[in-house]
Amino acid sequence: TWINFSAYFHKVIDRFELTKSDNIRFVRKIPREAIFIEVDEDKITQVLDNIISNALKYSPQGGTITFRVRQLADEIIVSVSDEGVGIPKADLGKIFERFYRVDKARSRKLGGTGLGLAIAKEVVLAHGGTIWAESKEHKGTTIYFTLPVEREQKDDWDDV
Ligand code: ATP
Ligand code: MG
């Protein structure tokens, strides 16, 4: 289905905004204009739900979570940044593997199975995008993913 990603992303964030604790702040940097892309909405919602739940799960009190969308020529880059515990460099490449969880003790306390990001990766790849993470321990984490945007059909009549 075709969706306006800007409006859709706001709707997903709104849902988390209603239930989040007051000491976490949400900041949205999302273009005002509509960005139409073709996605499986339920699947992309699953991706965002996991990334946003992780950001909340690993955020300290008073932390800010920043949501961004950048539109490039043929893709959009979506990102969710937190100011949480971060992920050690050595683990950064592995968090998209099934059942991989950094620091077993910490992860057990916070709950989860370690499947969320593996599923996210599968869904994003199936959409023709990529997903990666940047993180600094004790500073925070940003999860990025891209989704392709159909380029406007070049009008053949232009050159006539
Ligand atoms: P599930 O999503 O299945 O409930 P999970 O959240 O532990 O469990 P993933 O979402 O796949 O699993 O994440 C894998 C691991 O990556 C997490 O256990 C955690 O160690 C680390 N991680 C993911 N997101 C963050 C984040 N925003 N900050 C710090 N660590 C993170
Ligand atoms: Mg998760």
Side-chain angles (χ1 to χ4, degrees):
T1 12
W2 285 89
I3 60 169
N4 169 4
F5 193 86
S6 311
Y8 158 80
F9 198 24
H10 277 299
K11 203 180 62 183
V12 171
I13 300 164
D14 286 343
R15 177 156 51 76
F16 280 91
E17 188 112 51
L18 288 172
T19 54
K20 75 167 178 55
S21 86
D22 283 342
N23 53 44
I24 302 281
R25 196 168 66 103
F26 278 6
V27 172
R28 310 182 193 205
K29 300 194 169 170
I30 301 169
R32 233 171 271 283
E33 65 269 24
I35 304 172
F36 287 100
I37 57 170
E38 197 176 13
V39 296
D40 182 329
E41 185 174 339
D42 289 346
K43 293 244 165 75
I44 294 298
T45 301
Q46 212 184 336
V47 170
L48 284 170
D49 280 356
N50 180 60
I51 293 171
I52 299 169
S53 313
N54 286 348
L56 285 166
K57 195 151 68 167
Y58 299 105
S59 276
Q61 295 214 352
T64 297
I65 298 179
T66 307
F67 302 89
R68 289 189 181 81
V69 177
R70 255 170 38 106
Q71 186 168 20
L72 303 182
D74 47 16
E75 64 183 9
I76 57 171
I77 307 178
V78 182
S79 66
V80 178
S81 305
D82 65 59
E83 299 177 333
V85 289
I87 301 168
K89 228 191 175 95
D91 296 298
L92 215 47
K94 300 184 193 142
I95 58 171
F96 298 99
E97 294 171 10
R98 280 161 195 245
F99 305 117
Y100 194 83
R101 312 190 68 206
V102 181
D103 183 348
K104 304 276 185 300
R106 180 186 88 192
S107 301
R108 201 176 311 114
K109 201 174 69 203
L110 290 169
T113 56
L115 275 175
L117 287 177
I119 294 167
K121 180 174 180 179
E122 206 171 287
V123 170
V124 168
L125 291 184
H127 278 77
T130 53
I131 187 167
W132 71 98
E134 286 174 8
S135 188
K136 264 213 166 79
E137 269 188 283
H138 312 298
K139 291 271 189 226
T141 300
T142 300
I143 304 289
Y144 299 87
F145 67 88
T146 66
L147 290 171
V149 177
E150 285 286 308
R151 301 217 19 195
E152 262 174 68
Q153 286 289 325
K154 177 98 170 68
D155 194 333
D156 287 336
W157 298 98
D158 278 0
D159 323 303
V160 175

